[in-house]
Amino acid sequence: MNALAQGRCPRCQAVLRIPEPWLHQLLRCRHCGAIVRPRGTRVAATVPDGNTVAPAPGMTAPPVHGVGDPITRMPPVDVAVGGAGGSPLVTSISYVRRRPRGSPLRTAVVWLLALGLLAGGLYLFNQYYPLAPLLVKNDRAAQPNDQNNAATQESKGSEGKNVARTAPATFPRRLLVLNIDNYLFLNPLTSSPKGQGDRIRAAAQRWAFEWHIPLDKDNSQVFVLSDTLPERSIPVKDVLQGTYVSFFQTSRAQDRIVVYFSGHALWRDGSAYLAPLEADPDDPNTLIPLSDFYEHLKNCRATQKVVIWDVCRYNPERGQLRPGSEPMSNELFQALQAAPAGVEVILTCGPGENALEFSSVTLEGGPRPQTYAGSAFLIAARLAAERRKGTVQPPAPEDPLPVSEWIATVQQRLNELLETVRAEKKQTVHQHGSRPPTLVAVNPQEPPAQRVVFPPPPRTASAAEVAGIVSEFILPPLKEDAGAAEMAGFPFDPQVLAAYRDPISIEEVQKNPEQYRLRATVLRAFKEIRDIWQGDPASGGTGQLPDTIKAPITDELKKTIFAGLDFYAEGIARLELVDADLDALEAMRNSESRRWQAHYDYARAAVKTRLAFLNEYNKVMGNVRTNTLPMLDPKLGQNQYKLASTNRLRSGKEVERMVEQARQIYGRIVQEHKGTPWAIQAKREKNLSLGLTWQPSSDKKADDD
């Protein structure tokens, strides 16, 4: 006869009597219908004769939830065992909760979340699959063939037979990307919208994946020199030159190499030049002769050589703020394509054209609209790669770089891009030269090519000393997109700067303005400019002269805009006063130290420049009042108007005369204070285009790479 166990239901607390065989299964309470599970712990019970009773089999789990009364093993009578013959079995009953049936709303939400996660996963896979080589080694087994069996080796087996074994293959390919955005004296380039960090390295990695260029941790053959990188590699002349020389010298005979140059190229006095960061169009000594680049490329041992010149860059939204973005000339075009024999040259624009770039352009056609920024050529290359996913036969290590096929596809995507954005300018990709008919065989046993050495920048004065000088005179840029001048890391000769030290501090000048009249007036001029460009304190101060207007332009918006312009009208009057005061002190200039002569000259030129700019700004704001603005295209994400720079002034002869005076003073600073921060800043502002015009624009951020 079975023994009974007794306990309480955790739900209704009714006493339950359970046959011992049922102690290991789910039970239903006869009183409340709850599903319960009996559980217990092993115990040793002592009976009067001193024997130890064995624990009940299977009851080893601890009590669940700490609920339920002890159940005592007993004879088949409804009484508790209290003495001999009873074997205590301590257990408890746990309440087995049924899973509640979900409401229709909850079910719908769960399904929507699941579908959203699935869609997000597919999108991320589509976006980041091209970066797979960062995580996985970029190698594949080389297949032996009749023409090239470099990856296959033969060894003698134990019976003397030839046994072929295939070694893992690494593609003998290399990529060098040279990019300069923030030119000191030339028009800045756009590789990404302001504040969105570097995008050049991501573009190089996508390119490397598409062309199977190794990105392995122990054998990365992708090298990037750019002033947009977080590590702030400075592509000044010596560094830029040394980098491509190192790349060419470390390339092996079997390598297929690509060099992509994103920057300015210039034609001066019958010769072509590449422009490093500090390139001065009026000083050939600051430029790199194109002949030097091609001479080192000629001596490079690589079997296939590809050069891509993404030059003559122009962003319609920014305009031409400085020289350097002129259309490609016939002379420069001929010089760039005249590479040594065996070199394939790609020019991203032709004579009379610019290589376009965009701050933000939104394109439709995929799962969702995608926003891009930077070089139109690189955007087109990215679109071409996305279209070709899964449709191209993977190459073998011995294959050449697919230049002709790639360019044809990129040109198609570029045409579509320019048609979509309704670009007024045409851009044609040109290919010149050809690779050798036979390439050097792949040799997987050869060690990988050595890493490129980025030369250190030239010796410079201490960053603290340079920063101290710059902080005294530096002013907010005329326009937000004027490009950054990072002079703290620029190489200045310590001996040159030593001549500009002055024992009298700024604080001392401010305490005694009558004693230091010229210096105090200079400081007042700097303060006036900074205050005006900071913006109207009554409206919070934007920190920048407003150069964008959100659409639509309503009457209410016009009232707000023109109420704010009163502040800048007063700014013109303030600058006119300080301009007159500075001009009146010119006789005192030569008695000042070198430092304060430079400060004084720069203050005079800066005040005149900003007076001209404010007058021009006031003029073009009249287009807003009269609604004479260009049309916006919402399909391209255009939702605002932005002031672009142009050479044409609209403000009259008096403003033109003021600009000419400022440029003469800037020229004197460049000559008399050569090799100093004042000279660099004067050169930057001397060539500024102060004319303004409204252009359609977008405030959408480019999608992450």
Side-chain angles (χ1 to χ4, degrees):
M1 184 176 294
N2 290 331
L4 294 178
Q6 177 177 296
R8 291 185 181 276
C9 172
R11 184 174 182 184
C12 66
Q13 296 298 310
V15 176
L16 304 179
R17 294 179 177 83
I18 308 168
E20 185 174 2
W22 295 5
L23 292 175
H24 306 293
Q25 58 187 329
L26 297 177
L27 306 173
R28 184 188 299 276
C29 175
R30 60 185 299 180
H31 302 283
C32 67
I35 304 299
V36 297
R37 177 188 292 112
R39 288 187 179 178
T41 54
R42 291 183 180 274
V43 296
T46 305
V47 293
D49 60 5
N51 294 328
T52 300
V53 179
M59 303 303 289
T60 61
V64 179
H65 305 305
V67 295
D69 291 343
I71 296 179
T72 308
R73 191 172 181 176
M74 53 195 327
V77 292
D78 197 11
V79 294
V81 176
S87 298
L89 175 62
V90 181
T91 190
S92 65
I93 298 176
S94 63
Y95 173 39
V96 180
R97 301 182 182 273
R98 286 186 181 275
R99 182 175 296 171
R101 184 173 299 173
S103 66
L105 178 61
R106 180 180 298 176
T107 303
V109 170
V110 170
W111 275 106
L112 286 174
L113 288 174
L115 291 173
L117 289 172
L118 177 61
L122 291 173
Y123 170 73
L124 291 174
F125 177 82
N126 182 64
Q127 290 293 306
Y128 292 100
Y129 178 72
L131 298 184
L134 296 178
L135 306 174
V136 187
K137 287 192 173 182
N138 180 20
D139 52 43
R140 69 191 279 268
Q143 301 299 322
N145 55 60
D146 295 336
Q147 296 178 348
N148 180 12
N149 62 355
T152 303
Q153 302 174 4
E154 292 187 351
S155 60
K156 295 289 185 179
S158 57
E159 300 178 2
K161 297 180 179 180
N162 289 334
V163 180
R165 57 185 178 87
T166 303
T170 298
F171 285 77
R173 300 180 174 186
R174 311 184 84 198
L175 171 64
L176 174 63
V177 174
L178 305 171
N179 177 78
I180 305 108
D181 266 19
N182 298 305
Y183 278 100
L184 291 178
F185 311 126
L186 299 175
N187 214 38
L189 269 62
T190 305
S191 62
S192 65
K194 182 177 175 63
Q196 287 193 244
D198 170 68
R199 288 174 178 265
I200 292 298
R201 178 178 280 141
Q205 290 169 345
R206 281 196 306 270
W207 202 343
F209 172 77
E210 183 185 0
W211 280 12
H212 291 72
I213 300 172
L215 274 168
D216 305 342
K217 182 179 179 181
D218 55 348
N219 180 30
S220 177
Q221 294 299 329
V222 177
F223 307 96
V224 180
L225 175 66
S226 173
D227 60 344
T228 65
L229 295 177
E231 52 264 35
R232 296 295 302 162
S233 300
I234 304 178
V236 294
K237 180 177 179 179
D238 292 345
V239 176
L240 185 64
Q241 219 166 359
T243 298
Y244 68 68
V245 168
S246 176
F247 180 76
F248 294 149
Q249 290 179 345
T250 56
S251 294
R252 306 167 302 172
Q254 64 172 312
D255 286 331
R256 288 83 165 143
I257 66 171
V258 183
V259 181
Y260 169 77
F261 180 81
S262 170
H264 289 305
L266 306 174
W267 180 262
R268 291 290 183 273
D269 300 326
S271 298
Y273 297 92
L274 304 181
L277 182 135
E278 77 277 28
D280 182 347
D282 299 327
D283 184 1
N285 292 327
T286 65
L287 308 176
I288 299 174
L290 178 63
S291 58
D292 179 82
F293 178 92
Y294 275 154
E295 183 65 25
H296 284 94
L297 179 59
K298 178 182 177 181
N299 296 329
C300 176
R301 296 185 301 155
T303 185
Q304 184 181 7
K305 308 169 187 177
V306 181
V307 181
I308 302 173
W309 298 115
D310 200 2
V311 298
C312 300
R313 297 275 287 275
Y314 177 74
N315 183 340
E317 292 184 36
R318 300 177 79 167
Q320 187 170 355
L321 194 67
R322 298 187 182 91
S325 290
E326 297 81 13
M328 175 81 74
S329 67
N330 284 310
E331 295 85 356
L332 180 60
F333 182 80
Q334 296 296 331
L336 289 171
Q337 71 176 15
V343 175
E344 297 169 88
V345 177
I346 299 168
L347 293 96
T348 63
C349 66
E353 298 176 349
N354 282 107
L356 298 175
E357 54 187 25
F358 302 101
S359 298
S360 176
V361 57
T362 301
L363 304 178
E364 298 180 347
R368 66 177 182 85
Q370 191 85 354
T371 302
Y372 300 90
S375 161
F377 175 81
L378 289 184
I379 294 174
R382 180 175 178 180
L383 295 173
E386 291 171 353
R387 294 273 188 94
R388 288 158 55 92
K389 274 181 187 175
T391 65
V392 180
Q393 183 70 23
E398 62 270 15
D399 290 342
L401 296 169
V403 177
S404 297
E405 304 92 328
W406 181 68
I407 287 301
T409 307
V410 171
Q411 182 67 69
Q412 291 177 3
R413 301 289 84 80
L414 181 59
N415 292 342
E416 294 171 2
L417 170 64
L418 299 184
E419 182 179 353
T420 301
V421 302
R422 295 184 177 88
E424 297 178 357
K425 294 177 177 289
K426 181 182 176 183
Q427 182 176 348
T428 310
V429 181
H430 293 260
Q431 180 183 354
H432 299 272
S434 60
R435 63 176 178 264
T438 303
L439 300 183
V440 174
V442 174
N443 179 11
Q445 302 307 310
E446 184 179 8
Q450 298 178 12
R451 292 192 59 81
V452 170
V453 176
F454 295 98
R459 178 174 172 266
T460 181
S462 73
E465 182 176 11
V466 176
I469 293 173
V470 172
S471 66
E472 291 180 6
F473 75 87
I474 201 67
L475 301 172
L478 285 176
K479 292 174 78 262
E480 187 178 7
D481 58 1
E486 300 291 344
M487 284 189 281
F490 189 79
F492 292 102
D493 188 333
Q495 294 183 349
V496 171
L497 294 192
Y500 288 84
R501 292 170 185 162
D502 191 283
I504 301 173
S505 67
I506 297 292
E507 291 75 14
E508 179 68 19
V509 173
Q510 292 171 332
K511 290 178 182 178
N512 302 282
E514 292 300 324
Q515 181 179 352
Y516 305 105
R517 186 180 169 193
L518 181 142
R519 299 186 182 194
T521 306
V522 167
L523 295 179
R524 179 164 66 88
F526 291 156
K527 185 177 185 304
E528 290 283 22
I529 293 173
R530 290 167 183 149
D531 288 348
I532 294 169
W533 256 254
Q534 179 63 31
D536 188 358
S539 59
T542 62
Q544 185 66 48
L545 192 72
D547 62 355
T548 57
I549 297 178
K550 282 289 188 68
I553 309 297
T554 63
D555 290 340
E556 193 63 32
L557 179 59
K558 287 182 182 179
K559 290 180 182 178
T560 303
I561 292 172
F562 288 104
L565 290 181
D566 290 342
F567 174 78
Y568 296 103
E570 295 173 3
I572 292 177
R574 291 159 61 185
L575 289 182
E576 286 176 344
L577 287 175
V578 76
D579 181 51
D581 291 344
L582 285 169
D583 287 349
L585 297 174
E586 186 173 9
M588 301 174 61
R589 174 192 179 275
N590 292 338
S591 61
E592 287 287 351
S593 66
R594 295 278 290 167
R595 190 186 195 99
W596 283 97
Q597 287 180 16
H599 276 339
Y600 172 76
D601 291 341
Y602 180 69
R604 287 188 68 203
V607 168
K608 295 180 188 299
T609 299
R610 280 154 177 78
L611 266 173
F613 186 81
L614 286 178
N615 278 280
E616 181 73 4
Y617 181 79
N618 185 59
K619 187 74 173 180
V620 296
M621 291 305 291
N623 297 128
V624 180
R625 190 187 300 274
T626 58
N627 289 326
T628 51
L629 296 168
M631 296 293 293
L632 299 180
D633 189 344
K635 291 183 179 180
L636 301 179
Q638 294 173 353
N639 58 358
Q640 64 182 12
Y641 300 96
K642 185 175 179 63
L643 282 175
S645 297
T646 175
N647 289 324
R648 178 172 171 257
L649 284 168
R650 305 166 185 262
S651 305
K653 298 295 183 181
E654 181 61 27
V655 171
E656 292 179 2
R657 185 185 62 81
M658 195 179 302
V659 171
E660 184 58 32
Q661 288 178 344
R663 287 176 175 167
Q664 290 176 3
I665 300 172
Y666 284 135
R668 183 165 73 176
I669 295 173
V670 172
Q671 293 297 322
E672 295 186 5
H673 306 286
K674 190 174 182 179
T676 69
W678 294 277
I680 287 182
Q681 192 61 25
K683 186 71 176 181
R684 283 172 58 81
E685 299 201 16
K686 176 177 181 288
N687 294 324
L688 281 176
S689 297
L690 300 179
L692 296 172
T693 184
W694 290 108
Q695 289 288 342
S697 179
S698 170
D699 66 350
K700 292 186 177 182
K701 291 186 175 181
D703 293 296
D704 292 335
D705 289 306

